[in-house]
Amino acid sequence: MSGALNREAWLNLAVLAGLVAVPLWALTVDQPFTITLATRVAILALAAVGLNIALGLGGLVSLGHAVFFGIGGYAMGILAHHAQTYTAVAEWPVLIEGTKSMPVIWVVAVVASALAALVIGVLSLRTSGVYFIMITLAFGQMFFYFAISWSAYGGEDGLSIYVRNGFPGLNTLVPIQFFGLCFAILCAVLWLNARLMRSPFGLALNAARQVPVRVETVGLNPVRLKLVAFVISGAITGLAGALFADLNRFVSPTMFSWQFSGEIIILVILGGVGRLIGPVVGAAVFVVLEHWLGGLTEFWLIWLGVILLLIVLFARGGLVGLLAGRSVAHD
């Protein structure tokens, strides 16, 4: 068991080193698009890390996590839009102006997403199983259609931002610098996730997922534990949404779509549910398949489906479990 743990630890380091090596290589051969692809991997992995906290630790299968991704994206889009048009977001009861500062945008995205996750979680966690899945899906569709009808911010056409927002000391328009920023945030969240998994809260949450009755007997509330995990998960996914919007300099209602919620789940399953580095591996495989196979055929999702089917049938620990040779309670 200890040997498998060591293998997985080395695999985690190797994956992160590989994610850094690719854009550095692209920088030396002057391929900025490859750096952008690596940045996309880092951001999607961040969103999947958020979901993995709810799904891997709490056992919460959410088909509405795109809500938080979209809230984060629109937080960036709205604040940046008002900054570039020199108009106020709101004038009453207090004056709220737009901003092009990434740290400020991230705080707004995280807080807004966490509040949304709190409200959705309080209502959704009254149920479980397929009913929980359907309620989160319903919330996702509500936000999706609201964004389509929100004509003040582009409606169905979305909202474009002319220039990427700024971060102190960096030129975020330089691809390698923006990648470094996204990668640093991903590493910080992975570290937070690792600490969370080993903390008393993480252990209690894992127990609440497996044997909620026993958790109740020791005086803990399983629903409350899952709600806290859901809020943390939503906040991290919202941060990823803000970064994704900055990467593309564009936000649209598709960020709220249930298809995107499904894609995040696929990333987690590909890498391995409950695995620390699983979301990064899943995001890397997804982006590589999307780029390479997507250039060959418009039906590349068929091959993704085949890979996903093989993993579900023969490698329930995901690609990380297959390579590390270690199973977890989710397997």
Side-chain angles (χ1 to χ4, degrees):
M1 185 68 175
S2 61
L5 282 169
N6 289 333
R7 283 197 300 272
E8 184 161 345
W10 281 109
L11 178 62
N12 294 349
L13 293 175
V15 169
L16 292 177
L19 184 55
V20 172
V22 169
L24 290 178
W25 167 82
L27 180 64
T28 61
V29 297
D30 193 25
Q31 291 189 6
F33 181 68
T34 302
I35 301 176
T36 300
L37 287 179
T39 306
R40 179 178 168 85
V41 170
I43 295 173
L44 291 179
L46 181 63
V49 170
L51 176 61
N52 205 24
I53 292 175
L55 177 58
L57 288 180
L60 301 173
V61 183
S62 170
L63 257 183
H65 246 59
V67 167
F68 315 123
F69 194 81
I71 288 175
Y74 269 82
M76 172 271 174
I78 292 171
L79 290 173
H81 169 74
H82 284 279
Q84 72 184 13
T85 57
Y86 302 100
T87 57
V89 178
E91 297 181 352
W92 189 89
V94 294
L95 177 64
I96 301 176
E97 297 181 337
T99 180
K100 299 287 286 184
S101 171
M102 282 188 181
V104 175
I105 291 171
W106 295 345
V107 170
V108 173
V110 167
V111 171
S113 301
L115 290 175
L118 177 62
V119 174
I120 293 174
V122 166
L123 297 174
S124 301
L125 285 170
R126 294 173 179 268
T127 63
S128 61
V130 68
Y131 300 103
F132 177 85
I133 297 173
M134 296 309 297
I135 288 180
T136 56
L137 173 62
F139 274 110
Q141 291 301 98
M142 286 169 55
F143 276 84
F144 173 74
Y145 286 111
F146 174 78
I148 285 180
S149 62
W150 204 3
S151 58
Y153 297 109
E156 191 173 3
D157 296 326
L159 184 65
S160 295
I161 305 301
Y162 303 142
V163 180
R164 186 169 292 153
N165 296 305
F167 187 88
L170 294 179
N171 182 358
T172 56
L173 289 174
V174 177
I176 193 65
Q177 294 193 32
F178 187 59
F179 166 79
L181 184 61
C182 295
F183 180 77
I185 294 173
L186 173 62
C187 289
V189 172
L190 285 171
W191 176 83
L192 175 65
N193 190 18
R195 294 295 299 270
L196 189 67
M197 291 169 66
R198 294 173 174 82
S199 68
F201 169 76
L203 296 175
L205 179 62
N206 192 35
R209 176 183 58 82
Q210 299 183 66
V211 279
V213 175
R214 292 185 180 181
V215 172
E216 286 182 321
T217 60
V218 298
L220 297 176
N221 188 328
V223 175
R224 189 172 299 170
L225 290 169
K226 292 181 179 181
L227 178 60
V228 173
F230 195 73
V231 171
I232 295 173
S233 173
I236 294 173
T237 306
L239 176 58
L243 290 171
F244 192 78
D246 244 325
L247 173 66
N248 299 317
R249 283 173 277 178
F250 178 74
V251 294
S252 73
T254 56
M255 296 182 74
F256 289 108
S257 68
W258 69 268
Q259 291 93 335
F260 188 77
S261 292
E263 286 181 8
I264 304 177
I265 294 177
I266 289 173
L267 302 185
V268 175
I269 295 175
L270 282 175
V273 177
R275 308 283 179 169
L276 179 64
I277 209 68
V280 182
V281 174
V285 171
F286 182 87
V287 171
V288 168
L289 289 176
E290 181 184 43
H291 177 60
W292 285 353
L293 292 181
L296 299 175
T297 173
E298 60 180 315
F299 304 111
W300 69 274
L301 284 171
I302 294 177
W303 299 105
L304 176 64
V306 171
I307 294 173
L308 186 63
L309 180 62
L310 292 174
I311 288 175
V312 171
L313 291 177
F314 303 109
R316 294 185 62 193
L319 293 173
V320 173
L322 186 65
L323 295 172
R326 184 170 73 94
S327 62
V328 292
H330 305 83
D331 294 355

